[in-house]
Amino acid sequence: MNKKIKNVVLDHSDAIVKMWLEEFDSNKENDYTATISDEMFESTNREFVNVIFSSIENQGLSTDLDDFSERLINLGWPLSYLTDGMQVFRRVITDYILKQSDKVDTDYFSEILREVDGWVDPIINRLINEYSGSWEHIVSLQRVALQELSAPLIPVMENITIMPLIGTIDTERAKLIMENLLDGVIKHNAEVVLIDITGVPVVDTMVAHHIIQAAEAVRLIGSRCILVGIRPEIAQTIVNLGIDLGKFPTKSSLRKGFETALELTNRRIEETQNNDEDIEKLIDSLDGE
Amino acid sequence: MRIPILKLHNYLLISIQIDLDDQTAIQFQEDLLSKIHENGASGVVIDLTSVDIIDSFIAKVLGDVVTMSDLMGAKVVLTGIQPAVAMTLIDLGIHMQDVPTALDLEQGLIKLRQELEE
């Protein structure tokens, strides 16, 4: 019986493919096809339906399906294209089989449905697994990249290090920041650490709490912390939220913070050449002529 | 187990190299205070480089020692607190607000001198 249904489908595969293509083409108004050329769309559709048939024929899943889905993932086709395609296929094939049969009763109908589901569902599952697998892979790669970028520490001068922070800070990242900060302070023997929050878009109570904790931990290991890069809007939020940052020095820009850091380590910037004097000398020499 | 306290001019140097238990900590507190009394030391450096664990009680004792020594006229600096220890203390909510700290023994001594001159 099952064999019979399958044979019906395989024998009339051409007709089914035609119906499927027509039906699926009418779906073409969907967003994802907007950027894809007609020929490309058609050739992919043909390939798709061939893959479906070959996997039904081979009693399950062929390597064609894997290759096909892998290529679509690489080309950036959306998953909805495949799921839409499979749904249309299910509809078309059920209609077709019902039309081909003479007698239709409830038992027969449910058997057809079960049979068709048995073909279609494994393919959908396989496709979704492939897609979600590739997504998870991307996410894990990005997580690693983000971790590498999340807490850099730059020793700019003897005893002075800078930690520029860019992007949102969450609890996990705050932890990483603190670890890197403390280890870096010990490693570089830094007396002063500048934490630059110019690139942190929002400073809420949570972020401020993490920064304060990091600063206190830095103080405990015997170094000093200066918070720099406080933009006007951040100063406003900090005060409006009632956060007390008075325990350690804060500066508006990295430049000012750096000057303070130099002061704390008993140093200062001195210009080797005074431009004003040079200009005066130049004017004097012109007058002399 | 008692922790040795070394005298250097008018400073006292202490390097803690064992994991402190409650009894040792209390003993150390008494020893240090009587030593300050004996020598009239004006500065104390407590080095914690080899200490891997500080619990809330030890932290409290250390904080107390600093305040007590201050009362007796000796400035105390804690040096060499390990990153892991600092993180644990902050997580426990112990901020040791009034305790001066320094990276290592050398900078601890410099800090002491600065504070004593002021």
Side-chain angles (χ1 to χ4, degrees), chain A residues 178-179 182-183 185-186 189-191 213 216-217 219-223 247 266, chain B residues 81-83 86-87 89-91 94-97 99 101-104 107 114:
Chain A
M178 201 200 274
E179 276 168 24
L182 298 183
D183 288 341
V185 166
I186 298 282
N189 196 22
E191 267 182 65
Q213 283 207 325
E216 304 228 308
R219 200 189 63 82
L220 272 184
I221 60 169
S223 177
K247 286 177 214 144
N266 301 321
Chain B
I81 298 179
Q82 294 298 309
M87 273 190 270
L89 287 179
I90 295 294
D91 281 346
I94 303 161
H95 298 302
M96 300 223 228
Q97 216 52 260
V99 183
T101 51
L103 276 174
D104 49 29
Q107 288 184 357
Q114 277 172 355

Short mmCIF file of all heavy atoms in Angstrom, two decimals, chain A residues 178-179 182-183 185-186 189-191 213 216-217 219-223 247 266, chain B residues 81-83 86-87 89-91 94-97 99 101-104 107 114:
data_model
loop_
_atom_site.label_atom_id
_atom_site.label_comp_id
_atom_site.label_asym_id
_atom_site.label_seq_id
_atom_site.Cartn_x
_atom_site.Cartn_y
_atom_site.Cartn_z
N MET A 178 37.38 42.80 34.88
CA MET A 178 38.04 42.88 36.19
C MET A 178 39.25 41.95 36.24
O MET A 178 40.33 42.36 36.68
CB MET A 178 37.05 42.54 37.30
CG MET A 178 37.52 43.11 38.63
SD MET A 178 36.81 42.37 40.04
CE MET A 178 35.32 43.24 40.27
N GLU A 179 39.08 40.72 35.75
CA GLU A 179 40.20 39.77 35.78
C GLU A 179 41.38 40.33 34.98
O GLU A 179 42.51 40.36 35.47
CB GLU A 179 39.76 38.43 35.19
CG GLU A 179 39.08 37.54 36.20
CD GLU A 179 38.41 36.36 35.54
OE1 GLU A 179 38.84 35.96 34.44
OE2 GLU A 179 37.47 35.83 36.13
N LEU A 182 43.05 43.38 36.76
CA LEU A 182 43.88 43.09 37.93
C LEU A 182 45.15 42.35 37.54
O LEU A 182 46.25 42.69 38.00
CB LEU A 182 43.07 42.27 38.95
CG LEU A 182 41.84 42.98 39.51
CD1 LEU A 182 41.16 42.13 40.55
CD2 LEU A 182 42.20 44.32 40.10
N ASP A 183 45.00 41.34 36.66
CA ASP A 183 46.19 40.61 36.22
C ASP A 183 47.16 41.55 35.51
O ASP A 183 48.38 41.46 35.71
CB ASP A 183 45.80 39.46 35.30
CG ASP A 183 45.13 38.34 36.07
OD1 ASP A 183 45.31 38.31 37.30
OD2 ASP A 183 44.42 37.53 35.45
N VAL A 185 47.50 44.80 35.92
CA VAL A 185 48.13 45.72 36.86
C VAL A 185 49.34 45.06 37.51
O VAL A 185 50.42 45.65 37.60
CB VAL A 185 47.11 46.16 37.94
CG1 VAL A 185 47.82 46.83 39.10
CG2 VAL A 185 46.09 47.10 37.35
N ILE A 186 49.17 43.80 37.93
CA ILE A 186 50.28 43.08 38.54
C ILE A 186 51.40 42.87 37.51
O ILE A 186 52.57 43.09 37.79
CB ILE A 186 49.80 41.70 39.07
CG1 ILE A 186 48.74 41.90 40.16
CG2 ILE A 186 50.96 40.89 39.57
CD1 ILE A 186 49.27 42.29 41.50
N ASN A 189 53.06 46.08 36.59
CA ASN A 189 53.44 46.83 37.77
C ASN A 189 52.92 48.27 37.68
O ASN A 189 53.66 49.23 37.87
CB ASN A 189 54.97 46.81 37.90
CG ASN A 189 55.39 47.24 39.27
OD1 ASN A 189 54.61 47.15 40.21
ND2 ASN A 189 56.62 47.72 39.39
N ALA A 190 51.64 48.39 37.36
CA ALA A 190 51.08 49.71 37.09
C ALA A 190 50.66 50.39 38.39
O ALA A 190 49.94 49.81 39.19
CB ALA A 190 49.87 49.57 36.18
N GLU A 191 51.11 51.61 38.55
CA GLU A 191 50.69 52.38 39.72
C GLU A 191 49.34 53.03 39.49
O GLU A 191 48.56 53.23 40.41
CB GLU A 191 51.72 53.46 40.03
CG GLU A 191 52.77 53.03 41.02
CD GLU A 191 53.72 54.17 41.30
OE1 GLU A 191 53.26 55.18 41.86
OE2 GLU A 191 54.89 54.05 40.91
N GLN A 213 33.24 48.42 41.32
CA GLN A 213 33.85 47.21 41.88
C GLN A 213 35.25 47.01 41.36
O GLN A 213 36.18 46.71 42.12
CB GLN A 213 32.99 46.00 41.53
CG GLN A 213 31.75 45.89 42.40
CD GLN A 213 31.30 44.46 42.52
OE1 GLN A 213 31.43 43.70 41.57
NE2 GLN A 213 30.78 44.10 43.65
N GLU A 216 37.59 49.45 42.94
CA GLU A 216 37.92 49.12 44.33
C GLU A 216 38.88 47.96 44.40
O GLU A 216 39.82 47.96 45.22
CB GLU A 216 36.64 48.77 45.09
CG GLU A 216 35.62 49.89 45.02
CD GLU A 216 35.04 50.21 46.37
OE1 GLU A 216 34.59 49.26 47.02
OE2 GLU A 216 35.05 51.39 46.75
N ALA A 217 38.67 46.98 43.54
CA ALA A 217 39.59 45.83 43.52
C ALA A 217 40.99 46.31 43.14
O ALA A 217 41.98 45.85 43.71
CB ALA A 217 39.09 44.78 42.53
N ARG A 219 42.21 49.18 43.75
CA ARG A 219 42.76 49.86 44.92
C ARG A 219 43.27 48.84 45.94
O ARG A 219 44.32 49.04 46.56
CB ARG A 219 41.69 50.72 45.56
CG ARG A 219 42.23 51.82 46.48
CD ARG A 219 41.13 52.49 47.24
NE ARG A 219 40.45 51.53 48.13
CZ ARG A 219 40.89 51.19 49.32
NH1 ARG A 219 42.00 51.70 49.79
NH2 ARG A 219 40.24 50.31 50.06
N LEU A 220 42.54 47.73 46.08
CA LEU A 220 42.95 46.72 47.05
C LEU A 220 44.30 46.13 46.71
O LEU A 220 45.10 45.85 47.60
CB LEU A 220 41.91 45.60 47.12
CG LEU A 220 40.76 45.78 48.09
CD1 LEU A 220 39.91 44.53 48.08
CD2 LEU A 220 41.27 46.04 49.48
N ILE A 221 44.56 45.92 45.43
CA ILE A 221 45.87 45.33 45.10
C ILE A 221 46.96 46.38 45.10
O ILE A 221 48.11 46.08 44.82
CB ILE A 221 45.85 44.54 43.78
CG1 ILE A 221 45.47 45.45 42.62
CG2 ILE A 221 44.93 43.36 43.85
CD1 ILE A 221 45.70 44.78 41.29
N GLY A 222 46.61 47.62 45.40
CA GLY A 222 47.64 48.61 45.65
C GLY A 222 47.93 49.53 44.49
O GLY A 222 48.99 50.13 44.42
N SER A 223 46.98 49.66 43.58
CA SER A 223 47.17 50.58 42.47
C SER A 223 46.04 51.61 42.51
O SER A 223 45.16 51.52 43.36
CB SER A 223 47.15 49.79 41.16
OG SER A 223 47.27 50.66 40.09
N LYS A 247 34.45 58.16 45.02
CA LYS A 247 35.55 57.49 45.71
C LYS A 247 36.83 57.48 44.90
O LYS A 247 37.90 57.30 45.43
CB LYS A 247 35.14 56.06 46.05
CG LYS A 247 34.17 56.01 47.21
CD LYS A 247 33.74 54.58 47.46
CE LYS A 247 32.29 54.51 47.93
NZ LYS A 247 31.60 53.35 47.41
N ASN A 266 54.41 61.51 39.87
CA ASN A 266 55.45 62.54 39.99
C ASN A 266 56.16 62.84 38.67
O ASN A 266 57.38 62.94 38.61
CB ASN A 266 56.49 62.16 41.05
CG ASN A 266 55.86 61.97 42.39
OD1 ASN A 266 54.96 62.74 42.75
ND2 ASN A 266 56.27 60.96 43.11
N ILE B 81 48.36 42.35 47.50
CA ILE B 81 47.12 41.57 47.49
C ILE B 81 46.92 41.00 46.08
O ILE B 81 46.99 41.72 45.10
CB ILE B 81 45.92 42.46 47.89
CG1 ILE B 81 46.11 42.97 49.32
CG2 ILE B 81 44.61 41.68 47.78
CD1 ILE B 81 44.99 43.87 49.79
N GLN B 82 46.68 39.70 46.00
CA GLN B 82 46.55 39.03 44.71
C GLN B 82 45.21 39.37 44.05
O GLN B 82 44.22 39.60 44.75
CB GLN B 82 46.64 37.51 44.90
CG GLN B 82 47.99 37.04 45.38
CD GLN B 82 49.09 37.36 44.38
OE1 GLN B 82 48.96 37.04 43.20
NE2 GLN B 82 50.13 38.04 44.83
N PRO B 83 45.20 39.41 42.69
CA PRO B 83 43.95 39.71 41.99
C PRO B 83 42.78 38.85 42.45
O PRO B 83 41.69 39.36 42.71
CB PRO B 83 44.30 39.42 40.53
CG PRO B 83 45.75 39.64 40.42
CD PRO B 83 46.33 39.27 41.76
N ALA B 86 41.59 39.99 45.75
CA ALA B 86 40.87 41.26 45.64
C ALA B 86 39.46 41.04 45.13
O ALA B 86 38.50 41.60 45.65
CB ALA B 86 41.63 42.21 44.72
N MET B 87 39.35 40.17 44.10
CA MET B 87 38.01 39.92 43.54
C MET B 87 37.09 39.27 44.56
O MET B 87 35.92 39.63 44.67
CB MET B 87 38.14 39.04 42.31
CG MET B 87 38.37 39.84 41.05
SD MET B 87 38.24 38.86 39.58
CE MET B 87 39.92 38.34 39.41
N LEU B 89 37.25 39.54 47.81
CA LEU B 89 36.90 40.53 48.82
C LEU B 89 35.80 41.45 48.31
O LEU B 89 34.82 41.72 49.02
CB LEU B 89 38.14 41.36 49.20
CG LEU B 89 39.18 40.62 50.05
CD1 LEU B 89 40.36 41.54 50.32
CD2 LEU B 89 38.56 40.16 51.36
N ILE B 90 35.95 41.92 47.04
CA ILE B 90 34.94 42.81 46.48
C ILE B 90 33.60 42.08 46.37
O ILE B 90 32.55 42.63 46.69
CB ILE B 90 35.38 43.32 45.09
CG1 ILE B 90 36.63 44.18 45.20
CG2 ILE B 90 34.28 44.11 44.42
CD1 ILE B 90 36.44 45.48 45.93
N ASP B 91 33.65 40.81 45.94
CA ASP B 91 32.42 40.02 45.84
C ASP B 91 31.75 39.88 47.20
O ASP B 91 30.52 39.86 47.31
CB ASP B 91 32.71 38.64 45.26
CG ASP B 91 32.86 38.70 43.75
OD1 ASP B 91 32.48 39.74 43.18
OD2 ASP B 91 33.38 37.73 43.15
N ILE B 94 33.51 43.42 50.93
CA ILE B 94 34.49 44.01 51.83
C ILE B 94 35.36 44.96 51.02
O ILE B 94 36.11 44.51 50.15
CB ILE B 94 35.37 42.92 52.46
CG1 ILE B 94 34.49 41.90 53.18
CG2 ILE B 94 36.39 43.53 53.43
CD1 ILE B 94 35.17 40.60 53.42
N HIS B 95 35.25 46.25 51.26
CA HIS B 95 35.97 47.19 50.42
C HIS B 95 37.21 47.74 51.10
O HIS B 95 38.03 48.38 50.47
CB HIS B 95 35.04 48.33 50.00
CG HIS B 95 33.89 47.85 49.18
ND1 HIS B 95 34.08 47.17 48.00
CD2 HIS B 95 32.55 47.92 49.37
CE1 HIS B 95 32.90 46.85 47.49
NE2 HIS B 95 31.96 47.28 48.31
N MET B 96 37.37 47.52 52.39
CA MET B 96 38.52 48.00 53.16
C MET B 96 38.82 49.45 52.80
O MET B 96 39.94 49.80 52.43
CB MET B 96 39.75 47.13 52.88
CG MET B 96 39.53 45.68 53.26
SD MET B 96 40.96 45.04 54.09
CE MET B 96 41.30 43.56 53.33
N GLN B 97 37.79 50.26 52.92
CA GLN B 97 37.83 51.64 52.44
C GLN B 97 39.01 52.45 52.98
O GLN B 97 39.65 53.20 52.25
CB GLN B 97 36.50 52.31 52.87
CG GLN B 97 35.93 53.30 51.90
CD GLN B 97 35.79 52.76 50.49
OE1 GLN B 97 36.62 53.04 49.66
NE2 GLN B 97 34.73 52.01 50.22
N VAL B 99 41.86 51.44 54.29
CA VAL B 99 43.16 50.77 54.37
C VAL B 99 44.03 51.17 53.17
O VAL B 99 43.65 50.94 52.05
CB VAL B 99 42.97 49.24 54.39
CG1 VAL B 99 44.30 48.54 54.55
CG2 VAL B 99 42.01 48.84 55.48
N THR B 101 46.86 50.76 50.42
CA THR B 101 47.42 49.57 49.78
C THR B 101 48.52 49.98 48.81
O THR B 101 48.59 51.13 48.38
CB THR B 101 46.34 48.83 48.97
OG1 THR B 101 45.68 49.76 48.12
CG2 THR B 101 45.33 48.17 49.87
N ALA B 102 49.40 49.04 48.48
CA ALA B 102 50.44 49.29 47.48
C ALA B 102 50.72 47.99 46.75
O ALA B 102 50.36 46.91 47.20
CB ALA B 102 51.71 49.82 48.14
N LEU B 103 51.35 48.14 45.56
CA LEU B 103 51.57 46.96 44.71
C LEU B 103 52.56 45.98 45.32
O LEU B 103 52.32 44.79 45.34
CB LEU B 103 52.09 47.41 43.34
CG LEU B 103 51.06 47.83 42.32
CD1 LEU B 103 51.75 48.37 41.09
CD2 LEU B 103 50.16 46.66 41.95
N ASP B 104 53.70 46.49 45.79
CA ASP B 104 54.69 45.59 46.38
C ASP B 104 55.37 46.27 47.57
O ASP B 104 55.08 47.41 47.90
CB ASP B 104 55.72 45.15 45.32
CG ASP B 104 56.27 46.33 44.56
OD1 ASP B 104 56.31 47.43 45.14
OD2 ASP B 104 56.65 46.18 43.38
N GLN B 107 57.03 49.79 46.89
CA GLN B 107 56.09 50.91 46.79
C GLN B 107 55.35 51.14 48.10
O GLN B 107 54.95 52.26 48.41
CB GLN B 107 55.11 50.67 45.65
CG GLN B 107 55.82 50.83 44.32
CD GLN B 107 54.91 50.70 43.13
OE1 GLN B 107 53.73 50.42 43.29
NE2 GLN B 107 55.47 50.90 41.97
N GLN B 114 55.87 58.76 52.29
CA GLN B 114 55.07 59.91 51.87
C GLN B 114 54.05 60.28 52.94
O GLN B 114 53.90 61.44 53.32
CB GLN B 114 54.33 59.60 50.57
CG GLN B 114 55.18 59.80 49.33
CD GLN B 114 54.46 59.29 48.09
OE1 GLN B 114 53.38 58.73 48.19
NE2 GLN B 114 55.10 59.49 46.96
#
